[in-house]
Amino acid sequence: MKKRFAISIGIVLVVLLTLVSYHRFPVQTKGAFFTVFPIFAWVSVDQPVLFNHIRHTEALNLNCNFCHRYAEKHRSAGLPNIELCKACHATDAMSKKPEALKVVKYAQAGEEIPWKKMYELPKFVVFSHWIHVQKGIDCSVCHGLTGNKERPVKMVDRNYMAWCMDCHQKRGASSDCYACHSS
Ligand code: HEC
Ligand code: HEC
Ligand code: HEC
Ligand code: HEC
Ligand code: HEC
C-alpha cells in the first residue's frame, strides 16, 4: 500500500516537472531531453571579453538593434565594432570592472575585439534575419537567453533543420528544400 502511494507521488511529480519545463520556452524544442532539463539548453562561451548583455539592455535600456543594427532590414544581424564600444568605453570613466577595462584596451589600441561566432549555419543554408523579424518573431525564439545573460551563452537546442521546418510548417512558411538551400 505504502509502496503504491510513493509510486503515484513520483508519477505526479514527473508529470508536473514535464509540464513546467514544457512551458518555459515559447517554442517547443524537438528533444524531450531539453524540454525536461532546460538548464542544458545553453552553454557558456569563452569570449575574449565576457560581454554582459543584460547590463547593457536592461540597466542602460539599449535596444538589440542599437548594436545589432542590420537585423531588421538585412540578412545578417551584425556585430557592433569597437567604434561603438568606444562611445562609452574610451576610458575607464564609465566602468572600472575588469572586463570593461579590457574593452578600454582594445578601444585605445583601435583594435577590433576578436569575438568567436556563436551562431553560424553551414554555408549551404540560406537564412535572413529581416524576414523573420518583420513577421514579428522575437529574437529570443531563436537566441533564447543569449541576449539576456550576464555572460556570453549559446543555445544548443535549436537552429537545426528539423526545428526550422517545424515552425515553417506551423506558420505556413516554405518547406521547399530550395527555400533554405541554394542549388
Ligand atoms: C551594447 C551592445 C549590445 C546590445 C544592446 C545587444 N548586444 Fe548582442 N552582442 C553584443 C556583442 C558585443 C556581442 C559579441 C559578444 C558575445 O558573444 O556575447 C553580442 C552577441 C550576440 C549574439 C551572438 C552572436 C554570435 O553569433 O556570435 C546574439 C544572438 C545577440 N548578441 C543577441 C542580442 C539580443 C537578442 C539583444 C537584445 C535583447 C542584444 N544582443 C543586445 C552587443 C550587444
Ligand atoms: C551607451 C554606453 C555604452 C556602450 C555603447 C557600451 N557600453 Fe559597456 N558598459 C556601459 C556601462 C554604463 C557599464 C556598467 C558600468 C558598471 O556597472 O561598472 C558597462 C559595462 C561593460 C562591461 C563590464 C560588465 C561586467 O559586468 O563586468 C563590459 C565587458 C562592457 N561594458 C563591454 C562593452 C562592449 C564590448 C561594448 C561595445 C560592443 C560596450 N560595452 C558598449 C556602457 C556602455
Ligand atoms: C528565426 C530565427 C532567428 C531570429 C528570430 C533571430 N535570429 Fe539571429 N541568428 C539566427 C541564425 C540561424 C543565425 C546564424 C546565421 C548564419 O550563420 O547565417 C543568427 C545569427 C545572429 C547573430 C550573429 C551575427 C550575424 O549577423 O550573423 C546575431 C548578432 C544575431 N543573430 C542577433 C539577432 C537579433 C538581435 C535578433 C532580433 C532582432 C535575431 N538575431 C533574431 C536566427 C535568428
Ligand atoms: C518561429 C518560426 C520560425 C523559425 C524558427 C524559422 N522560421 Fe524561417 N520563416 C518563418 C516565417 C513566418 C517566414 C515568412 C514566410 C512568408 O514570407 O510568408 C519565414 C521565412 C523564411 C525564409 C524565406 C522563405 C521564402 O519563401 O523565400 C527562409 C529562407 C527561412 N525562413 C529560413 C529559416 C531557417 C534556415 C531557419 C532555422 C535556422 C528558420 N527559417 C527558422 C518562420 C520561422
Ligand atoms: C526551413 C529551412 C530548411 C528547409 C526548408 C530545408 N532545410 Fe535542410 N537544412 C536546414 C538547416 C538550418 C541545416 C543545417 C543543419 C545543422 O547545422 O544542424 C540543413 C541541413 C541539411 C542537410 C545536411 C544535413 C547534415 O546533417 O549535415 C541536408 C542533406 C539537407 N538539409 C537537406 C534538405 C532537403 C532534402 C530539404 C527538402 C526536403 C531541406 N533540407 C529543406 C534548413 C532547411
Side-chain angles (χ1 to χ4, degrees):
M1 200 53 205
K2 236 181 182 173
K3 202 171 168 195
R4 205 181 275 171
F5 182 69
I7 291 175
S8 350
I9 293 275
I11 291 173
V12 168
L13 278 180
V14 167
V15 169
L16 272 180
L17 189 71
T18 316
L19 271 177
V20 168
S21 27
Y22 183 82
H23 288 287
R24 273 179 62 106
F25 286 110
V27 164
Q28 179 187 347
T29 49
K30 285 279 171 178
F33 174 78
F34 293 122
T35 309
V36 181
F37 303 106
I39 185 87
F40 293 112
W42 52 270
V43 292
S44 279
V45 178
D46 256 320
Q47 292 283 25
V49 173
L50 298 184
F51 180 72
N52 187 329
H53 264 98
I54 196 77
R55 175 150 286 144
H56 290 84
T57 51
E58 270 193 356
L60 285 170
N61 208 6
L62 296 178
N63 277 331
C64 308
N65 52 9
F66 177 82
C67 293
H68 305 296
R69 52 185 62 181
Y70 305 116
E72 280 174 7
K73 296 212 179 79
H74 298 272
R75 272 185 66 174
S76 67
L79 284 181
N81 60 17
I82 193 71
E83 290 304 316
L84 195 131
C85 315
K86 213 173 168 178
C88 294
H89 296 289
T91 66
D92 64 2
M94 193 64 91
S95 172
K96 293 185 175 49
K97 294 231 167 79
E99 292 299 318
L101 293 181
K102 286 192 200 164
V103 182
V104 174
K105 270 210 183 121
Y106 283 106
Q108 287 177 347
E111 274 171 32
E112 291 300 333
I113 304 171
W115 303 116
K116 287 176 209 148
K117 269 235 170 196
M118 302 208 278
Y119 295 92
E120 199 163 23
L121 294 173
K123 286 270 178 288
F124 55 82
V125 183
V126 181
F127 176 82
S128 287
H129 272 92
W130 69 269
I131 204 163
H132 295 93
V133 175
Q134 287 192 358
K135 288 282 166 185
I137 299 165
D138 195 73
C139 312
S140 66
V141 172
C142 305
H143 296 301
L145 297 168
T146 303
N148 298 296
K149 273 277 188 192
E150 45 296 304
R151 56 158 298 143
V153 299
K154 178 188 169 180
M155 306 306 290
V156 293
D157 65 336
R158 52 194 88 187
N159 298 328
Y160 53 94
M161 180 160 140
W163 182 83
C164 309
M165 289 281 251
D166 186 49
C167 177
H168 274 213
Q169 267 153 16
K170 283 185 191 144
R171 299 273 307 247
S174 182
S175 300
D176 192 72
C177 312
Y178 288 109
C180 301
H181 299 292
S182 49
S183 57

